[in-house]
Amino acid sequence: MRHFCLLGHRVPTTPDFSLDALPSEAGRLDILCRAISAAFVLSHDIREDVRVSLVLQDEFTVQFDGPDLRNLNPDERSTAALVRTALDHREDAIGHVPAESSPGVSVSRKGFETTLSEAAADSTVVHLHEDGDPIVDVEPPEDPLFVLSDHQSFTDAEADLLAEYADHRVSLSPQALHADHAITVAHNYLDTDGFRQY
């Protein structure tokens, strides 16, 4: 399973936002929706071996699971609608037990630390950072968990947590990449066995 953990620092934790104002009133949810699409969408297909955990303001985690995922289209608005529907079900999430909002999408009351620690139990944690080691120097892991932030940098507390959990801190490019582009490069790195086989 390929797992991507995305941090949304300003995304609302209630469904009270317009799908027509994602960059402004939804805390740049548009950026994260593009990243979710990059994680799953192929030409005329969906990657089923992918999971995305979208951590919202360190309060809720909306999880997308490839094997069960339905109704994901490659546009920001429909992906944001899945997030908003998940937040509609936030009251059904009891403790850390998730509430399913649509096929393959659930919401739970988990912040970054809980989401990271649970996922790290059976994954190789890869902190994507522009100042990390070149990814070509790292063997592709079997079950990677790639951790990315939105348009804001990781906070000091998040960076400290990542330093504790990360098996690798890698850079995907000599240039700083948007989250959706980073996910595309990470997929290509895994698809090609570290860029060695096409």
Side-chain angles (χ1 to χ4, degrees):
M1 180 67 75
R2 300 176 183 185
H3 193 165
F4 296 90
C5 182
L6 305 169
L7 273 61
H9 292 101
R10 294 176 49 236
V11 175
T13 57
T14 66
D16 306 321
F17 58 86
S18 170
L19 297 177
D20 297 321
L22 299 179
S24 54
E25 69 178 63
R28 296 312 311 262
L29 181 56
D30 59 316
I31 293 171
L32 297 165
C33 288
R34 287 196 295 272
I36 292 166
S37 290
F40 288 106
V41 177
L42 293 166
S43 180
H44 307 294
D45 206 357
I46 292 285
R47 291 182 185 266
E48 293 188 2
D49 62 341
V50 170
R51 173 176 293 139
V52 170
S53 296
L54 175 59
V55 181
L56 306 180
Q57 293 194 39
D58 203 27
E59 186 177 348
F60 291 98
T61 294
V62 177
Q63 188 160 289
F64 295 76
D65 285 299
D68 304 312
L69 189 58
R70 303 291 179 271
N71 306 316
L72 179 72
N73 297 302
D75 65 284
E76 297 164 19
R77 198 174 194 281
S78 65
T79 304
L82 291 174
V83 174
R84 190 170 71 175
T85 300
L87 290 172
D88 267 331
H89 289 76
R90 69 195 185 286
E91 297 304 325
D92 300 330
I94 308 299
H96 290 169
V97 179
E100 186 177 60
S101 56
S102 59
V105 182
S106 61
V107 61
S108 60
R109 295 178 181 275
K110 296 178 186 175
F112 179 46
E113 182 170 7
T114 302
T115 298
L116 179 61
S117 64
E118 289 181 359
D122 55 4
S123 299
T124 301
V125 180
V126 182
H127 175 190
L128 295 181
H129 194 282
E130 60 189 90
D131 294 327
D133 298 325
I135 198 164
V136 292
D137 295 338
V138 178
E139 285 294 315
E142 282 293 316
D143 294 296
L145 167 63
F146 294 99
V147 185
L148 307 90
S149 185
D150 55 11
H151 64 296
Q152 295 184 350
S153 298
F154 291 106
T155 65
D156 290 344
E158 291 163 352
D160 289 345
L161 196 62
L162 275 169
E164 178 184 343
Y165 279 96
D167 298 291
H168 304 286
R169 184 174 185 254
V170 302
S171 173
L172 297 171
S173 168
Q175 304 293 326
L177 301 177
H178 281 203
D180 57 329
H181 299 162
I183 288 172
T184 299
V185 173
H187 271 315
N188 185 247
Y189 159 75
L190 296 172
D191 291 342
T192 60
D193 190 27
F195 309 119
R196 290 189 291 265
Q197 181 178 332
Y198 282 82

